[in-house]
């Protein structure tokens, strides 16, 4: 009987080895597929980074030009908005009484100055 058990054990061991061989083969295929995909993604990433750098460089050139034009017009608009805000908060913005409190009264100098800036 010992021989029978020994033979059964050897056969079970052989089946386990075959099963492990199949698992190992499947694992090798999976790793090979993942390596191919990894290489593809690295190549695509490199192309995307190169393209991004090109776009950023061209955008920086056009952005600087647009920003310079925008800055000229925005600076005037922001300054006017700030002066109008100060006037609405109750302060003079005219050269005669600049920064002093209007005490709720309108100032013709301020209004004239703001209308001149707006027009």
């Amino acid at each position: 009987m010992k021989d029978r058990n020994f033979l059964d054990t050897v056969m079970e061991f052989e089946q386990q080895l075959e099963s492990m061989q199949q698992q190992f083969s499947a694992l090798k295929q999976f790793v090979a597929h993942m390596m191919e995909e990894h290489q593809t993604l690295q190549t695509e990433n490199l192309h995307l980074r190169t393209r991004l750098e090109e776009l950023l460089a061209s955008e920086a050139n056009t952005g600087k030009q647009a920003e310079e034009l925008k800055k000229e017009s925005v600076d005037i608009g922001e300054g006017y908005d700030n002066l109008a805000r100060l006037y609405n908060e109750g302060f003079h913005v005219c050269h005669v009484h600049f920064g002093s409190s209007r005490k709720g009264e309108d100032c013709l100098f301020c209004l004239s100055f703001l209308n001149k800036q707006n027009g």
Side-chain angles (χ1 to χ4, degrees):
M1 271 202 149
K2 287 184 177 181
D3 291 338
R4 191 75 165 135
N5 285 339
F6 180 71
L7 186 58
D8 288 340
T9 304
V10 169
M11 290 178 72
E12 278 183 40
F13 184 64
E14 182 182 17
Q15 288 176 348
Q16 289 176 352
L17 284 175
E18 287 175 3
S19 174
M20 286 190 341
Q21 180 68 28
Q22 289 172 351
Q23 289 176 355
F24 183 70
S25 179
L27 181 62
K28 281 188 348 186
Q29 288 176 347
F30 176 75
V31 168
H33 175 72
M34 294 307 288
M35 288 177 67
E36 288 175 9
E37 189 172 330
H38 177 72
Q39 184 62 39
T40 302
L41 289 174
Q42 278 187 325
T43 304
E44 183 179 0
N45 192 14
L46 179 63
H47 290 298
L48 288 173
R49 286 181 190 273
T50 304
R51 181 70 178 134
L52 179 63
E53 288 173 1
E54 291 171 1
L55 288 174
L56 289 176
S58 67
E59 184 179 294
N61 290 337
T62 57
K64 286 179 184 176
Q65 295 168 351
E67 188 176 315
E68 288 173 3
L69 292 173
K70 184 179 174 184
K71 191 173 186 178
E72 291 174 7
S73 63
V74 169
D75 287 345
I76 295 170
E78 287 178 16
Y80 176 80
D81 290 344
N82 287 336
L83 290 173
R85 182 182 49 79
L86 285 172
Y87 182 79
N88 288 331
E89 289 177 2
F91 296 98
H92 285 277
V93 293
C94 63
H95 67 284
V96 178
H97 303 289
F98 184 79
S100 62
S101 177
R102 288 189 299 117
K103 299 177 183 153
E105 300 172 359
D106 285 333
C107 172
L108 293 178
F109 292 118
C110 290
L111 292 174
S112 173
F113 178 75
L114 289 173
N115 286 334
K116 192 184 302 183
Q117 289 295 318
N118 194 16

